[in-house]
C-alpha cells in the first residue's frame, strides 16, 4: 500500500573518503541524515569505525547521525551511541539478547531505536514487538560491505513489514544496493527511508543524487 510519509534519504558514509569525513559530510548537507555503519569484524567480516569516530562526527555533521551497529553484543554498546548524540541507533535482531530492553535504553538516552534484519531473517518473530521501535531496517544486501547489488528477494519482506507496521509511527528503512534503478521498487514495497552509499558518494553532485532518489521514491510512494 502507498505510504503517506515523505521519503528520506540517508547517504552511507561507508562509501565516503574516510580521510576527509568532515568534508564528505558537508557534501550531503541536504540529506535527511548520515548513515554511519559501525562494524566490528565479528558480526560482519568488515571493520569500520566505532564510538570515538562517531563522537567526532557528531561535532561536525550538518545532518543527524543514523548509526547502524553491525556488531556483536549491542546490548552492551548501543546505548553509548545515543549518549554520544546519534539521532538514531539501529542494532541487529540477530545479535541482541534483549531487544525490547535495549530499545528502551536507547530511547532513554535520547536516541531513536531501530531494529535491523538481515536478508534471511524473517520479520514475523518481531511483529508483536514493533511498537517498541522507531524504525525497522530491512537489509537489502548481506551486511558487511558497500557496493553490493540490491536483492529483489527482500521485496516481499518489505511488504510484509509495512503491513505489520500498519498505523504505527515507525519508519521502514532499506539499506544495500539502493540506487536510481532500485529505489522505486523498494518504495513501492513500503520503504520510506533509503540508505544509499555509492549512488550518492559516487556521483559528481551528491546533492543532485539525493534529490533524484527522493523524487523517485516519492513518486513510487504516491507523493
Amino acid at each position: 500500500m502507498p505510504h503517506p510519509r515523505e521519503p528520506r534519504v540517508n547517504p552511507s558514509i561507508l562509501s565516503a573518503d574516510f580521510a576527509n569525513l568532515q568534508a564528505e559530510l558537508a557534501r550531503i548537507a541536504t540529506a535527511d541524515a548520515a548513515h554511519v555503519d559501525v562494524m566490528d569484524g565479528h558480526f560482519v567480516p568488515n571493520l569500520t569505525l566505532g564510538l570515538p569516530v562517531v563522537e567526532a562526527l557528531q561535532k561536525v555533521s550538518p545532518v543527524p547521525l543514523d548509526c547502524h551497529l553491525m556488531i556483536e553484543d549491542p546490548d552492551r554498546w548501543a546505548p553509548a551511541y545515543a549518549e554520544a548524540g546519534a539521532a538514531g541507533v539501529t542494532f541487529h535482531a540477530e545479535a541482541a539478547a534483549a531487544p525490547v530492553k535495549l530499545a528502551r535504553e536507547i530511547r532513554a538516552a535520547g536516541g531513536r531505536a531501530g531494529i535491523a534484519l538481515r536478508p534471511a531473517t524473517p520479520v514475523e518473530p518481531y511483529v508483536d514487538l514493533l511498537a517498541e521501535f522507531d524504525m525497522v531496517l530491512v537489509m537489502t544486501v548481506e551486511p558487511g560491505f558497500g557496493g553490493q547489488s540490491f536483492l529483489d528477494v527482500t521485496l516481499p519482506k518489505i511488504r510484509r513489514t509495512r503491513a505489520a507496521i500498519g498505523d504505527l509511527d515507525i519508519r521502514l528503512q532499506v539499506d544495500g544496493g539502493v540506487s536510481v534503478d532500485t529505489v522505486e521498487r523498494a518504495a513501492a514495497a513500503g520503504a520510506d527511508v533509503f540508505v544509499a552509499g555509492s549512488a550518492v558518494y559516487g556521483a559528481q553532485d551528491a546533492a543532485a543524487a539525493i534529490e533524484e532518489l527522493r523524487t523517485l521514491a516519492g513518486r513510487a510512494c504516491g507523493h
Side-chain angles (χ1 to χ4, degrees), residues 65 67 78-90 102-114 132-135:
L65 299 185
C67 289
Y81 286 85
E83 288 160 12
V89 181
T90 299
L102 181 52
R104 290 179 179 181
E105 288 174 357
I106 290 168
R107 283 173 153 182
R112 289 167 62 82
E132 295 286 341
F133 299 98
D134 299 293
M135 188 169 74

Side-chain angles (χ1 to χ4, degrees), residues 146-170:
Q148 298 183 68
S149 296
F150 185 91
L151 295 173
D152 279 285
V153 293
T154 60
L155 290 170
K157 182 163 73 173
I158 296 168
R159 285 192 283 270
R160 293 197 308 275
T161 304
R162 169 54 61 205
I165 288 170
D167 295 327
L168 294 171
D169 184 19
I170 299 171

